[in-house]
Amino acid sequence: MTRTIREQTEALEDRLLAPYATRSSRSRGRKRPLSPCDVRTEFQRDRDRILHSKAFRRLKGKTQVFLAPRGDHYRTRLTHTLEVAQIARTIARALRLNEDLTEAIALGHDVGHTPFGHAGESVLDEFHPDGFRHYEQSVRVLDFLEGEGEGLNLTYETLEGIAAHSKGRGPIFQPAQDGQSYESVVVRVSDIIAYLNHDIEDAVRAEILRESELPAEAVQVLGSTRGERIGRMVRDVIHASLEAGKVCMSPEVLAATDALKDFMYERVYPSPEIVNEIRKARSVLNTLIEYYYHHVEAMPPFFQRIAETESREQAVCDYIAGMTDLYALDRYRELFLPRAWDGS
Ligand code: MG
């Protein structure tokens, strides 16, 4: 009997992948069973479903660090996500992990991000009685909100890989959660490698930072350009992980990466140029929250249903978290700023 392309790919996975890699033929499946595809494995399908979602396209209008940047070369959540996916795939392939699962987790990991980056996240966190965390929201977007309550019906492995993601400020390698896949750990470390390096570049572009101010010991270990540093970190993850049999960095590179991370959190993210804009973004979002909380009928019908079936707070969080920076600013302008009379 001729095997389908998918069956041939699954057989290749069995031969080529490392013993600790996640095999698509052994996926635990989806909430609603799907008949298998003749061409793509289950994780290739997940990746494609995420890429074709509306939430993924909205990432282009969401802040990475600089709010709604007009400069063409600043990162957005979308370009950040693509950089994470690229770094993660390089590491996954070198470690002979499942590259498709890695890519699916990477492409989906930030779809729950709010407008205005972490400013938005902290405003919603203060508002929702159970708190708000973007990685939990990413799972909610992919599993429920996309398609107005349908979700994308992804595999458990992809959803769990995204759920295991966590706060940027926490330690780079956390004690492995029960059953956490290697692919998911690769995405977590790739996220950090990507954002540290591109945030440095964007901060230099914005003249908040000069390259010469970076901590000298870290630069000595990691290199003095973005390319050198990414290359050093990626190679280090690959070699240290192959040696240890788990995803990790060498102590030297881990310490230098941590030093760079602390530097960014102490020196760059709280700089006045960024903080002043964050203050304004917080006030825009708090005003929108208050408005929609008292005017549920002003939200689209799907969110009105969430207000009835779950809670008003949940509906407002879901609606606002889904907005792009410019969409939030437009709603604010429309609701709260008088319009100039144009006479027509
Ligand atoms: Mg990220």
Side-chain angles (χ1 to χ4, degrees), residues 55-321:
F56 184 78
R57 292 199 291 282
R58 288 200 303 271
L59 291 172
K60 74 170 186 291
K62 294 190 175 192
T63 289
Q64 172 59 29
V65 169
F66 296 92
L67 309 189
R70 284 196 203 280
D72 285 339
H73 297 134
Y74 288 97
R75 269 72 178 186
T76 63
R77 270 299 144 192
L78 179 64
T79 60
H80 160 71
T81 295
L82 296 174
E83 290 185 41
V84 174
Q86 189 77 324
I87 290 171
R89 285 177 48 209
T90 300
I91 296 174
R93 192 185 295 189
L95 299 180
R96 290 192 285 131
L97 295 173
N98 196 310
E99 203 175 322
D100 300 319
L101 174 61
T102 308
E103 189 177 15
I105 295 171
L107 293 181
H109 88 281
D110 265 355
V111 294
H113 246 296
T114 59
F116 308 124
H118 292 283
E121 182 166 27
S122 68
V123 167
L124 293 183
D125 189 41
E126 287 154 23
F127 166 69
H128 197 293
D130 301 331
F132 178 95
R133 287 158 290 270
H134 77 268
Y135 49 94
E136 289 172 4
Q137 188 70 7
S138 295
V139 173
R140 185 166 162 86
V141 166
L142 297 168
D143 200 38
F144 173 66
L145 294 173
E146 184 74 19
E148 302 209 330
E150 286 290 300
L152 295 175
N153 196 24
L154 301 176
T155 64
Y156 294 110
E157 289 80 4
T158 298
L159 290 173
E160 281 168 1
I162 292 167
H165 214 74
S166 57
K167 269 205 158 39
R169 188 80 214 248
I172 299 176
F173 295 99
Q174 295 153 320
Q177 296 164 34
D178 245 3
Q180 186 177 5
S181 66
Y182 280 48
E183 286 82 358
S184 150
V185 184
V186 166
V187 174
R188 158 97 184 143
V189 68
S190 303
D191 187 22
I192 294 165
I193 296 175
Y195 83 68
L196 279 181
N197 286 292
H198 64 49
D199 288 354
I200 290 173
E201 192 178 53
D202 279 359
V204 170
R205 182 182 304 282
E207 298 180 354
I208 290 174
L209 174 71
R210 285 188 306 271
E211 284 269 357
S212 58
E213 292 171 84
L214 293 174
E217 329 78 72
V219 168
Q220 213 187 350
V221 173
L222 300 171
S224 50
T225 67
R226 179 196 52 167
E228 275 174 27
R229 286 190 290 267
I230 294 179
R232 177 82 165 105
M233 290 177 186
V234 166
R235 279 192 183 80
D236 187 75
V237 171
I238 292 169
H239 294 302
S241 304
L242 284 174
E243 202 163 304
K246 62 171 188 177
V247 185
C248 61
M249 274 177 164
S250 69
E252 189 192 20
V253 170
L254 182 61
T257 306
D258 266 329
L260 213 50
K261 191 158 161 254
D262 289 342
F263 173 80
M264 292 300 282
Y265 277 92
E266 279 150 29
R267 163 74 178 73
V268 175
Y269 302 136
S271 64
E273 292 87 339
I274 293 177
V275 170
N276 284 336
E277 293 306 299
I278 285 180
R279 186 177 43 77
K280 294 185 236 172
R282 287 181 61 91
S283 119
V284 167
L285 290 181
N286 274 319
T287 311
L288 289 177
I289 286 174
E290 160 116 20
Y291 180 82
Y292 288 114
Y293 185 78
H294 294 289
H295 295 85
V296 172
E297 75 290 349
M299 292 192 287
F302 173 56
F303 297 97
Q304 296 177 30
R305 287 203 297 279
I306 294 176
E308 279 163 30
T309 53
E310 295 183 55
S311 70
R312 244 200 280 184
E313 286 89 349
Q314 188 60 52
V316 170
C317 269
D318 287 337
Y319 183 46
I320 290 184

